[in-house]
Amino acid sequence: MASKKNRRQLHKIKKNRAGVSIFFFALILAAVYFTLWIILEIVGQALLSAKLNEEYKAIEYMARIYEHGLISGEDVSGTLAISEREYFVVDENGQILSGFHKGTCSMQEGKIPLTGMPEPAKVYLDSDSEWLENHSTGLYPDYKVILSRIFFASADINSHIVISTETGEQVYLGDETELDKEADAVHKAIVMDHEQFPVWFSVPLSDSDHRFVAKAVASFNGDEMIVALALILVAIALLLILLVLMIGNIIRNARSTKKIVKTYMTDAVTQGHNWVWFTLKEEPILRGARYANQKIAVIELEFDNYRNFCTCHSMLEGEQMLCKIYEETAKTLTKREAVAHVATASFAILMEYENEESLTARLRSLIETLENIDRTHKFAFHIGVRLLDIERKENGKAVRRKKLNLEEEFNNASTARLTLTGIDDSRIAFFDQKLVDEKKWIDAVTEHQEQAIKNEEFVVYYQPKYDPKTKRLRGAEALIRWDSPELGFIPPGKFIPIFERNGFITEIDHYMLKHVAEDQKNWLDLGLNCVTVSVNISRAHF
């Protein structure tokens, strides 16, 4: 059905315009997000590895000093204390033998990869090592934790940047106005916080199963954190820009789709609603609960002899007249009612009504308004009406029209309007069961007419004409009847008008002339006196 095709087409328009755009930009957003994240991880890994490599070398150097003390018998504790680094020595069983530490080493063993080393370094977790992730193969930095800590620390760094002026007043870096005033008086260095990531490196000692363990701290100062913050902000900015572009494009596509849908549902002549709008928008509304308790009239309004008007004037004037008809009709409707231009000179209308009499009066008022659009011309309008009454349950509650087919109901209204064909003045016709039965009968007759001629189902009867004085046969009139195996015995009044409308009557005329001539020939062959036989011929032949 047309309404289903229109609905599928509309869905296809909306889906293609929005879906492809959203998928495309979501794909780009995901790709950029992962790319930026990988870049940040690479940068973070490079910075962290550089820091940890320096720490590992320092601890390895301390291990060599400790070994030298063992070999030479010298006390190297003072030398080790210079580094101010916590350390201790463990045996093969993990027992602490000596050292200087505060007990923050958890003794949870693992490994961590370092740049330039063939194998991961053996480490112990510190109690503040939430930045490390446990894996079956070792310990790996959690860059989400590292970057977030650097981000929040560096974001708050302005509160730790203090400048002392000559007057002894301290000014925060964030106060740009004060900085401008005191710029020439700055004489003290900027002091910044550090962000630290601790871990305990374990270095094997030569010629023994003992290991030298010392605390390593990957420390990022203010400058480094600002660089990291800048990278993070750039990544976030790029993501936000892309997100804004994506949302902007989606909005533009949505607006474009809306315009396309509006064009799809706009009539090119009247610039009002068209048939697609009428079926797609109004049908779901009429099926809803809101209209269940309301009588609805589905109406077709036909501008009669529109083609003749265009022939006598012009197509432009004809279309201008259609626009006026649409506008004047729309003015007579309420907000809950609707009108659409659906064909060349046809309009679909939905009206609420209380009873048939009030609706008829309203439609006559509409016709009167339309007939007076242009007083220099005489117009006629034919209206077909299909009434949708309220269906109620046994308890009196109104039933929703869930299976309403607006296209079918409009076709019924059009069927009623077609009964007015050939009438020159304005008329209103209502669709009812009698009209349905008539249409079904016309379809049945039309369907069987060809086969009836072929099978000679039409029977010729002769009505004799006698001279009343002599009582002698003077002539006859040939009459036709249809003896159909499917439809029964049919009088001419039930099929001749139909044949006259569809043009099949000329075939009946030939059929009658042929059979009357054959009958007369047979009568002559039998030695009977033939009389004049009159045969009715349709004016369609002339």
Side-chain angles (χ1 to χ4, degrees):
M1 297 177 68
S3 59
K4 290 184 178 179
K5 290 181 181 178
N6 292 333
R7 198 172 288 111
R8 287 196 296 268
Q9 182 68 21
L10 182 62
H11 177 71
K12 186 177 180 180
I13 290 172
K14 292 180 176 179
K15 182 179 179 181
N16 285 349
R17 298 288 298 180
V20 173
S21 177
I22 292 174
F23 174 78
F24 180 72
F25 278 96
L27 193 63
I28 293 178
L29 183 65
V32 172
Y33 171 81
F34 285 113
T35 301
L36 291 175
W37 183 251
I38 290 171
I39 291 173
L40 287 175
E41 280 206 345
I42 292 173
V43 173
Q45 184 178 7
L47 291 174
L48 187 65
S49 294
K51 296 286 183 179
L52 291 178
N53 279 349
E54 291 177 2
E55 291 289 285
Y56 185 82
K57 290 179 181 178
I59 293 171
E60 194 175 33
Y61 182 72
M62 291 177 65
R64 302 287 84 83
I65 293 174
Y66 180 81
E67 283 183 333
H68 177 73
L70 289 178
I71 296 171
S72 63
E74 297 179 14
D75 183 9
V76 295
S77 58
T79 305
L80 295 175
I82 295 174
S83 67
E84 298 183 350
R85 189 186 299 274
E86 298 179 55
Y87 71 93
F88 58 86
V89 179
V90 295
D91 60 16
E92 64 275 11
N93 297 319
Q95 297 295 322
I96 297 176
L97 303 178
S98 62
F100 166 73
H101 64 95
K102 299 178 181 178
T104 60
C105 182
S106 65
M107 299 306 292
Q108 183 179 350
E109 190 174 297
K111 294 182 179 181
I112 187 169
L114 294 178
T115 304
M117 292 186 61
E119 295 182 0
K122 188 173 183 180
V123 296
Y124 294 111
L125 291 179
D126 190 80
S127 57
D128 189 24
S129 291
E130 71 275 7
W131 61 280
L132 288 173
E133 293 181 320
N134 278 301
H135 293 285
S136 58
T137 57
L139 299 171
Y140 295 89
D142 187 349
Y143 293 102
K144 294 179 182 178
V145 175
I146 296 171
L147 292 175
S148 63
R149 284 174 59 176
I150 292 176
F151 175 82
F152 288 112
S154 55
D156 193 45
I157 201 169
N158 286 347
S159 63
H160 301 286
I161 301 177
V162 180
I163 299 173
S164 297
T165 65
E166 292 180 352
T167 59
E169 182 182 6
Q170 290 185 330
V171 181
Y172 290 101
L173 183 60
D175 194 341
E176 295 182 2
T177 303
E178 293 298 328
L179 279 176
D180 292 338
K181 293 179 181 179
E182 303 294 339
D184 296 333
V186 175
H187 67 276
K188 190 174 182 181
I190 297 175
V191 180
M192 299 181 180
D193 277 354
H194 288 66
E195 189 65 25
Q196 299 180 338
F197 300 94
V199 68
W200 295 76
F201 278 117
S202 176
V203 179
L205 297 176
S206 302
D207 301 330
S208 72
D209 293 330
H210 298 175
R211 303 184 70 86
F212 185 87
V213 181
K215 187 175 183 179
V217 178
S219 179
F220 292 88
N221 59 33
D223 290 336
E224 293 168 332
M225 286 192 291
I226 288 175
V227 171
L229 174 64
L231 289 172
I232 295 172
L233 291 178
V234 167
I236 293 173
L238 288 174
L239 288 174
L240 288 177
I241 291 172
L242 189 62
L243 184 62
V244 169
L245 290 175
M246 184 182 72
I247 294 173
N249 188 268
I250 291 174
I251 292 173
R252 285 194 299 272
N253 280 340
R255 290 177 177 174
S256 177
T257 301
K258 187 176 180 180
K259 288 180 180 178
I260 293 174
V261 170
K262 185 178 180 181
T263 303
Y264 187 61
M265 294 188 176
T266 299
D267 179 60
V269 176
T270 64
Q271 295 303 305
H273 301 311
N274 62 10
W275 174 249
V276 176
W277 177 90
F278 188 75
T279 53
L280 295 189
K281 291 295 184 180
E282 292 301 316
E283 184 174 274
I285 294 175
L286 294 181
R287 288 180 177 181
R290 181 182 179 186
Y291 281 88
N293 203 31
Q294 178 62 55
K295 295 180 180 180
I296 302 296
V298 182
I299 302 164
E300 182 189 24
L301 170 68
E302 179 82 3
F303 178 14
D304 193 37
N305 290 325
Y306 168 73
R307 290 298 184 187
N308 291 341
F309 179 85
C310 293
T311 301
C312 296
H313 298 82
S314 67
M315 287 297 298
L316 178 60
E317 289 185 60
E319 290 181 352
Q320 290 174 347
M321 197 58 62
L322 292 176
C323 291
K324 291 180 181 179
I325 293 171
Y326 181 88
E327 291 170 1
E328 291 299 324
T329 303
K331 289 178 183 179
T332 66
L333 304 178
T334 66
K335 291 182 179 180
R336 287 164 57 93
E337 298 172 336
V339 60
H341 182 215
V342 300
T344 304
S346 177
F347 297 84
I349 304 172
L350 292 177
M351 282 187 177
E352 297 178 344
Y353 75 98
E354 292 296 329
N355 51 63
E356 189 173 326
E357 291 75 18
S358 63
L359 177 63
T360 302
R362 189 177 174 190
L363 291 175
R364 284 174 178 167
S365 175
L366 173 61
I367 288 175
E368 183 178 356
T369 301
L370 298 179
E371 286 177 337
N372 292 300
I373 287 178
D374 188 341
R375 296 182 182 275
T376 60
H377 298 90
K378 177 175 172 55
F379 296 135
F381 297 89
H382 292 166
I383 291 180
V385 183
R386 166 60 168 159
L387 299 178
L388 302 180
D389 205 347
I390 303 172
E391 297 182 23
R392 298 188 183 276
K393 297 180 180 179
E394 294 180 357
N395 59 6
K397 186 178 179 180
V399 179
R400 290 173 56 184
R401 302 180 179 93
K402 293 182 179 180
K403 297 182 179 180
L404 172 71
N405 187 319
L406 190 54
E407 184 178 357
E408 183 177 317
E409 299 301 343
F410 181 78
N411 182 69
N412 292 335
S414 181
T415 300
R417 196 266 308 163
L418 286 173
T419 61
L420 305 175
T421 302
I423 300 176
D424 294 333
D425 57 345
S426 299
R427 296 286 183 89
I428 302 171
F430 286 84
F431 180 86
D432 54 20
Q433 187 58 43
K434 181 181 177 182
L435 188 58
V436 175
D437 294 339
E438 289 178 358
K439 291 298 179 182
K440 288 182 178 179
W441 174 250
I442 292 172
D443 286 343
V445 169
T446 305
E447 182 181 347
H448 290 85
Q449 62 187 23
E450 295 288 348
Q451 193 68 23
I453 281 282
K454 182 179 179 181
N455 297 336
E456 297 192 349
E457 297 175 7
F458 296 104
V459 182
V460 181
Y461 288 83
Y462 295 95
Q463 181 173 304
K465 296 178 182 180
Y466 286 92
D467 187 330
K469 293 181 180 180
T470 63
K471 296 184 180 180
R472 294 181 62 184
L473 181 66
R474 294 296 186 184
E477 181 182 359
L479 304 176
I480 189 170
R481 299 293 184 269
W482 185 359
D483 189 8
S484 171
E486 293 85 6
L487 304 177
F489 192 80
I490 311 168
K494 295 281 288 183
F495 62 87
I496 291 298
I498 298 174
F499 290 162
E500 287 178 338
R501 287 196 295 270
N502 66 21
F504 193 71
I505 191 64
T506 56
E507 297 293 329
I508 297 299
D509 290 344
H510 288 300
Y511 183 92
M512 289 294 290
L513 289 171
K514 175 186 174 184
H515 281 73
V516 169
E518 288 176 348
D519 287 344
Q520 286 185 318
K521 177 66 168 60
N522 291 334
W523 293 338
L524 288 173
D525 292 343
L526 294 173
L528 301 176
N529 293 325
C530 289
V531 296
T532 301
V533 178
S534 60
V535 180
N536 293 320
I537 301 297
S538 171
R539 62 181 179 180
H541 252 117
F542 300 95

